[in-house]
Amino acid sequence: MSSQTVAPRAGPVTGLYPALPAEERSGSRGMALPRLPAVLASSSAGPTRMSLFGSTSGFGTGGTSMFGSTTADNHNPMKDIEVTSPPDDSISCLAFSPPTLPGNFLIAGSWANDVRCWEVQDNGQTIPKAQQMHTGPVLDGCWSDDGSKVFTASCDKTAKMWDLNSNQAIQIAQHDAPVKTIHWIKAPNYSCVMTGSWDKTLKFWDTRSPTPMMTLQLPERCYCADVVHPMAAVATAERGLIVYQLENQPSEFRRIESPLKHQHRCVAIFKDKVNKPTGFALGSIEGRVAIHYINPPNPAKDNFTFKCHRSNGTNTSAPQDIYAVNGIAFHPVHGTLATVGSDGRFSFWDKDARTKLKTSEQLDQPISACCFNHNGNIFAYASSYDWSKGHEFYNPQKKNYIFLRNAAEELKPRNKK
Amino acid sequence: MTICQFFLQGRCRFGDRCWNEHPRGGGGRPHSAGPVRGAGGGWGAASQRYANVIQPPIFKHSTWGGSGDGGGFSGASDFGSPGNKSAVFSQNRFSALSSAHPADGFSDEEQRLLDCVAKDMATWESSGQWMFSCYSPEAGKPNVSGFREFSAEEVRLEYYNCSANNNTENYINSVNQLVQEWRNRLQELKALNASGKESLLSQLKNAVTQPLPSLGFGGQQASSFGFPSFPVSSSSSAASFSFKANPSVPPGNAAAVGSSAAASNPPTFGVTSSPSVPNPVGSGNSSAPSAASFSFKTSGTTSGCGTSGLSGFGSSAAANSSSTAPLPVSATPSAATGTSQSGASSASAAQTAGASGHNVTSAPSAVRDGIRPERLYTPRSELTAEELRQFAAKRFTLGKIPLKPPPADMLH
C-alpha cells in the first residue's frame, strides 16, 4: 500500500494549474515504464530548454498567464495554461501522444512550416522538446500508435515521418497538391499512413515505399478527415462526404449526402458504448455541426444538427454573426464533444442529451485547432488567426498561443432527463 | 357572419376566438408576431385545424433541455424531420391558407425551397461568414451553381505564395474579383425573377450532384491564380475584401470589372449561374478530374440530355447544342480544370469554347491513379450505327442521344 516510489497518480490529474516555479517533479517515476523515444526522454526541468526552438520568446512566457496582465488583453480569458514557445505563425493542428507513451506529449503544426513537440507534465509545465521543418506550411499531424513516430502533412505536397528516437524526418508521401490530412491506420493485418490532399486523392502509404499502397479518388479536394479503426470519414469540397471501411484493406463504404448546407470544415468520429465507431460529427463554415450516425435505428430522429459559434444565440430575429467551426474533438472517455470556432470560443456539448455543457469566454483571436489527450484530462486549443476574414486581418506580429485546460470535470455528460 | 377586416389584413388579434368570419384564402399576408407571443393556446387550435403545418418557433427551444444561453440545439427541426417547415412558415403563418392558389404556379415544395434560398442568402450576406463556400438549400440537394468554393487554407496559401513572389497585388485583385462574383450571385439569388426561379428549381431537381467545378485556384502552378488578369484597376476596392462590407456595390459597378460585365446580362440565357460565363458551356467542360470522379457515381449513363456532360468529354461538346437542357446546369465560372491552367474564368465565349476543346484533349493528362482512359471514350466497335450517326451529326436529335461516350477519334 505505501509504496516508496513516486507512482503516477491514477484518475483525474488535479495538478494542471499554472506552474509555480518552485514545485517541480523530480522526474523519477520509479516504476518500470516503456522506454521513451530519445528525443522525448531527455530530461529537463523548467524553461531552460526554450532556446531549442528557433526563435525564443523569452523567459517569462511560461508564466505570463499567472503573473497577470496589466493591460486589458484578452488573449487568455479562461486563464488556462499557456504552452511555452508557441509557434510563430498560425497553428493548424494539435495532437497528443497515444497512451503507449508514458506522460503526455503534444505536437503542433503551424503555418511557419514547422512542427513542434512539447512534453506536458502533470503539474502543467510544458517543456519544448524538438521541432522539424517542412518547406511549406504544415497542415496536419498525427502520432503512430506506439508513439515513436510523428507524421506531418504539409503544403509542400509531401508528408514526412518524424522518428522521435533519432530526431530525423524522412519523406514518406508525395501528392500533386498540398496534403491536408494525415492519419495513421493500425489494422490487425496492416498498418499504413492515410493522406488526403487537395489533388482529390486519398493515398495510403507504407512508410518504406515511395509509391502508395493504394490510391482512392475523391470527388473533390479533401478538406478534413478522421480515422477510428475500422472507419474513416472524409469530407471534401462541394459538400462531399464519404465513409470508408478499413478492414482488410481500405475501401469506400458509403457516400453520404451532406446534412449541412455550406462548406465542410472539420470532422470527428465518435464511438458508441462498446467503443466501436458509430458515427461522426461534421462542422461547417456556417456555425453548425451535424451529428450523423452511420446505421441509426431511426435516421430522422437520431441524426441532427445544431447551431454553434454564433453571436446571438437562439435569438434568430436579429442578424447574427456566424462563424466557422474550426475543429471538433471527442472526449475519449465521456464521449462528449468540444468545438472550437472562428469566434474565439470553445464549447463543450453532450450529443446524447443534446445539450450544451459550457461555452468559454471569447478570446481575441479565432481558435484554430483543438484536441484531447489520451485519457481526456487535458484539452488543448490553439489561439491563432485562421484567415476567416481574409488577409487584411492577418497580423504576422500577433502572438499565437496554445492553451491547456483541465478537462476531466467539465466534460462529464449531463444526465438525461 | 361579417368578414373580419383585420383578418383580411392579416392582423386579427383574436384568431380563432374572433366572432367575425375568417375566410380561407383571404389571409395570405404576413403579419407581425404580435398576438402570437402569448397565444400558444390559440395557435394550438389553429394548428390542429391546419394539420400541424404551422408550428410557432417558441416550441422549438423548449424541447431540448438546453442550458439556455446561446447556441441551443435546434434538434431535428432544421433538416432531419421532413414534416417541420417552420423555418419558412414562421415568417408567413397564413401561407397555408393560401395554398389553394399557389403563387406563380409553384408547388408548396418548390416555394419552400425558393423561400429557403432567399432567406439563406440574406443570412449569408449579413452574417459575415466565409464567402467562398458552396451552398445548397437543403440537405441532400445538389449545390446551387455559381458559388466557387475555397477553403480558408487554400486562400491563405495563395497569399503566402504571392507574397513570397512579391505578388500580393495579384492576390488582392483576384480575391476582390471573387468577392465581387460572390456578391453578384448572392444578389441574384436573393431576388430571383421568374425564369431564374425556374432554372434554379430544375437545377435542384436534377442529378443528385452536379459535376463539380474544379477551380484552379493557382492549384498546381505557383503564381497562376487561375484568373484572367483583367485590367482590374479596382485598387479602390482593395479594402473591399472585408466580409461585412456593405453590399451596396451595385451590380453596375461590376461592369468595371471585365469579366463581370457579362453578368449584368442574365436574360440571354435565363440563368446565369455564374456572372462570368455567358456561355452555356457548363457541366461537361468543367471537369477533367471530375469525369474521373464520375467513375464512382452513377453508372455511366445519364438520365437524359439535360444532365449531359457526366458521361464523358466528347458529348459535352455536342450537348452544348442540345436545346432542351435547362441551360447551364452548373455553368462554372472557370472552364479550366486544375490541370489545364488555361486561365479559369474566361469571359469570352471563344476562349471558353477553346477551353472546352482544350479540356478534352487534356483529359488523358488528367488521368490519375485508378482511372483508365478507356472508360472515357467508347471504342467504335461498341457503338451502334445510330449512335455513331448521332455523334457525327452537328446536333443531337432528341430521343436519340447516345448514352455512351463517343469514341476518342470522333472528337473534333
Side-chain angles (χ1 to χ4, degrees):
Chain A
M1 186 177 65
S2 57
S3 153
Q4 295 305 322
T5 56
V6 179
R9 271 175 266 166
V13 171
T14 53
L16 209 61
Y17 302 110
L20 302 174
E23 176 185 305
E24 232 168 57
R25 277 262 173 146
S26 61
S28 59
R29 301 265 181 131
M31 296 175 32
L33 294 168
R35 201 173 64 81
L36 281 177
V39 159
L40 304 178
S42 44
S43 72
S44 64
T48 49
R49 272 288 183 148
M50 287 185 5
S51 54
L52 190 67
F53 287 160
S55 51
T56 69
S57 17
F59 174 83
T61 348
T64 308
S65 57
M66 178 188 69
F67 293 136
S69 33
T70 48
T71 58
D73 100 292
N74 218 10
H75 79 274
N76 187 9
M78 302 304 289
K79 308 279 185 284
D80 288 327
I81 300 173
E82 271 181 53
V83 168
T84 56
S85 298
D88 297 317
D89 204 346
S90 298
I91 291 126
S92 56
C93 61
L94 291 171
F96 269 105
S97 53
T100 41
L101 275 189
N104 290 299
F105 295 88
L106 174 68
I107 56 149
S110 83
W111 280 77
N113 301 4
D114 64 356
V115 55
R116 299 189 175 189
C117 179
W118 295 260
E119 174 181 0
V120 178
Q121 294 182 329
D122 287 344
N123 60 2
Q125 269 207 324
T126 54
I127 305 164
K129 287 290 189 184
Q131 93 175 15
Q132 282 290 332
M133 304 295 295
H134 270 266
T135 51
V138 174
L139 294 181
D140 198 11
C142 71
W143 291 79
S144 64
D145 63 302
D146 61 359
S148 63
K149 319 255 189 303
V150 168
F151 300 98
T152 54
S154 162
C155 290
D156 61 10
K157 308 180 190 171
T158 69
K160 288 194 181 174
M161 174 172 79
W162 177 11
D163 183 337
L164 296 164
N165 271 316
S166 57
N167 201 8
Q168 300 288 328
I170 57 170
Q171 178 178 341
I172 53 156
Q174 180 71 47
H175 274 269
D176 301 321
V179 187
K180 181 69 170 58
T181 66
I182 188 162
H183 291 87
W184 172 252
I185 298 178
K186 176 96 174 112
N189 55 338
Y190 73 98
S191 357
C192 65
V193 176
M194 178 179 96
T195 53
S197 160
W198 291 341
D199 67 359
K200 309 187 190 182
T201 61
L202 203 61
K203 294 193 180 181
F204 299 83
W205 307 84
D206 175 341
T207 58
R208 297 162 295 201
S209 159
T211 48
M213 286 164 41
M214 177 185 289
T215 303
L216 294 176
Q217 281 294 324
L218 296 171
E220 252 285 353
R221 298 153 279 172
C222 174
Y223 276 171
C224 49
D226 193 16
V227 168
V228 171
H229 194 76
M231 176 170 137
V234 176
T236 69
E238 304 293 332
R239 294 165 66 238
L241 188 51
I242 313 165
V243 173
Y244 297 87
Q245 69 84 23
L246 303 171
E247 289 183 45
N248 289 329
Q249 68 170 13
S251 62
E252 189 175 309
F253 174 70
R254 190 187 296 170
R255 297 219 166 176
I256 301 183
E257 287 180 351
S258 169
L260 299 171
K261 291 181 180 176
H262 284 271
Q263 180 183 112
H264 297 158
R265 184 121 177 92
C266 49
V267 68
I269 295 177
F270 57 82
K271 301 190 273 199
D272 58 14
K273 305 258 189 301
V274 295
N275 244 7
K276 298 229 156 309
T278 178
F280 55 85
L282 180 67
S284 81
I285 50 122
E286 184 235 351
R288 197 182 289 266
V289 171
I291 301 285
H292 190 94
Y293 289 84
I294 299 294
N295 277 324
N298 189 348
K301 274 188 56 182
D302 294 335
N303 297 336
F304 64 95
T305 71
F306 62 92
K307 295 191 250 200
C308 50
H309 300 291
R310 296 182 174 208
S311 58
N312 279 1
T314 51
N315 174 14
T316 48
S317 55
Q320 313 178 290
D321 295 320
I322 297 180
Y323 297 90
V325 182
N326 283 332
I328 305 179
F330 277 90
H331 192 276
V333 171
H334 297 312
T336 47
L337 72 144
T339 62
V340 294
S342 281
D343 55 351
R345 294 182 197 260
F346 61 82
S347 296
F348 300 142
W349 312 81
D350 181 344
K351 69 174 199 324
D352 300 312
R354 302 199 184 186
T355 66
K356 180 195 299 218
L357 300 171
K358 181 187 179 75
T359 298
S360 73
E361 298 299 318
Q362 187 168 28
L363 276 68
D364 58 355
Q365 288 186 100
I367 303 183
S368 50
C370 68
C371 73
F372 285 102
N373 76 329
H374 66 87
N375 58 11
N377 287 340
I378 311 178
F379 175 63
Y381 58 101
S383 164
S384 51
Y385 184 51
D386 58 356
W387 218 256
S388 48
K389 299 264 178 246
H391 73 281
E392 274 121 358
F393 287 78
Y394 173 49
N395 178 2
Q397 314 305 326
K398 189 151 173 54
K399 202 160 177 266
N400 305 282
Y401 300 94
I402 303 176
F403 295 114
L404 304 175
R405 189 177 179 79
N406 186 332
E409 289 304 313
E410 288 174 326
L411 278 119
K412 289 215 168 120
R414 210 42 73 74
N415 289 329
K416 232 181 153 141
K417 297 194 171 51
Chain B
M1 281 170 74
T2 48
I3 308 261
C4 175
Q5 289 302 318
F6 291 98
F7 181 78
L8 291 181
Q9 293 171 34
R11 48 191 193 93
C12 176
R13 292 190 296 146
F14 298 100
D16 250 9
R17 300 173 282 143
C18 185
W19 293 346
N20 298 317
E21 178 167 326
H22 288 179
R24 278 185 71 102
R29 280 152 233 150
H31 73 114
S32 67
V36 176
R37 190 183 5 95
W43 286 120
S47 67
Q48 277 164 20
R49 193 190 299 174
Y50 300 122
N52 277 342
V53 168
I54 302 170
Q55 293 184 23
I58 300 172
F59 292 157
K60 252 205 280 193
H61 301 303
S62 61
T63 316
W64 304 119
S67 53
D69 56 331
F73 283 74
S74 59
S77 57
D78 280 5
F79 297 104
S81 50
N84 183 341
K85 302 187 177 131
S86 65
V88 174
F89 284 171
S90 58
Q91 281 184 3
N92 182 357
R93 283 180 188 82
F94 292 108
S95 61
L97 297 173
S98 62
S99 59
H101 307 284
D104 302 326
F106 290 124
S107 73
D108 272 349
E109 163 85 17
E110 295 173 331
Q111 191 58 44
R112 183 174 60 82
L113 278 177
L114 291 172
D115 289 341
C116 191
V117 170
K119 192 159 158 277
D120 286 340
M121 291 299 117
T123 311
W124 197 350
E125 189 174 20
S126 66
S127 62
Q129 66 191 58
W130 183 249
M131 291 181 187
F132 306 129
S133 159
C134 53
Y135 165 72
S136 167
E138 200 174 82
K141 292 264 184 284
N143 290 329
V144 168
S145 61
F147 287 115
R148 305 181 68 156
E149 168 140 271
F150 299 111
S151 64
E153 287 77 29
E154 289 170 288
V155 178
R156 183 177 196 157
L157 182 64
E158 201 52 47
Y159 177 82
Y160 278 40
N161 288 341
C162 282
S163 58
N165 299 338
N166 273 333
N167 214 355
T168 41
E169 281 245 344
N170 201 350
Y171 166 85
I172 292 176
N173 291 339
S174 308
V175 163
N176 285 337
Q177 193 177 342
L178 279 178
V179 172
Q180 201 53 51
E181 278 177 23
W182 171 78
R183 215 158 257 153
N184 291 343
R185 179 64 175 142
L186 187 142
Q187 297 301 333
E188 250 176 53
L189 285 173
K190 253 181 35 171
L192 284 171
N193 56 10
S195 59
K197 290 182 183 173
E198 283 292 342
S199 47
L200 183 65
L201 285 170
S202 58
Q203 241 186 63
L204 293 173
K205 288 202 190 105
N206 268 340
V208 172
T209 33
Q210 311 289 339
L212 308 158
S214 58
L215 307 165
F217 194 45
Q220 267 68 22
Q221 285 179 9
S223 55
S224 109
F225 216 27
F227 284 80
S229 51
F230 278 107
V232 177
S233 59
S234 48
S235 47
S236 57
S237 59
S240 68
F241 183 73
S242 53
F243 284 75
K244 281 267 207 182
N246 197 337
S248 62
V249 176
N253 194 11
V257 179
S259 69
S260 324
S264 325
N265 303 320
T268 331
F269 301 99
V271 143
T272 37
S273 25
S274 149
S276 57
V277 175
N279 182 315
V281 161
S283 36
N285 246 351
S286 57
S287 42
S290 80
S293 69
F294 170 67
S295 61
F296 288 103
K297 287 198 223 160
T298 56
S299 59
T301 61
T302 57
S303 48
C305 50
T307 57
S308 59
L310 287 183
S311 58
F313 297 116
S315 54
S316 71
N320 286 340
S321 45
S322 105
S323 47
T324 57
L327 286 173
V329 169
S330 76
T332 64
S334 90
T337 67
T339 52
S340 67
Q341 276 82 27
S342 57
S345 37
S346 45
S348 64
Q351 189 177 350
T352 321
S356 80
H358 185 201
N359 281 354
V360 166
T361 52
S362 72
S365 68
V367 168
R368 305 224 186 272
D369 301 340
I371 300 300
R372 299 184 305 280
E374 305 88 69
R375 288 218 239 151
L376 297 171
Y377 314 114
T378 346
R380 269 185 190 260
S381 42
E382 287 185 27
L383 292 172
T384 69
E386 180 58 45
E387 288 173 326
L388 283 172
R389 231 176 305 138
Q390 283 295 318
F391 284 129
K394 251 183 134 184
R395 289 170 170 268
F396 280 144
T397 324
L398 264 196
K400 295 206 179 103
I401 301 179
L403 295 176
K404 302 207 228 2
D409 52 351
M410 278 198 106
L411 301 168
H412 331 290

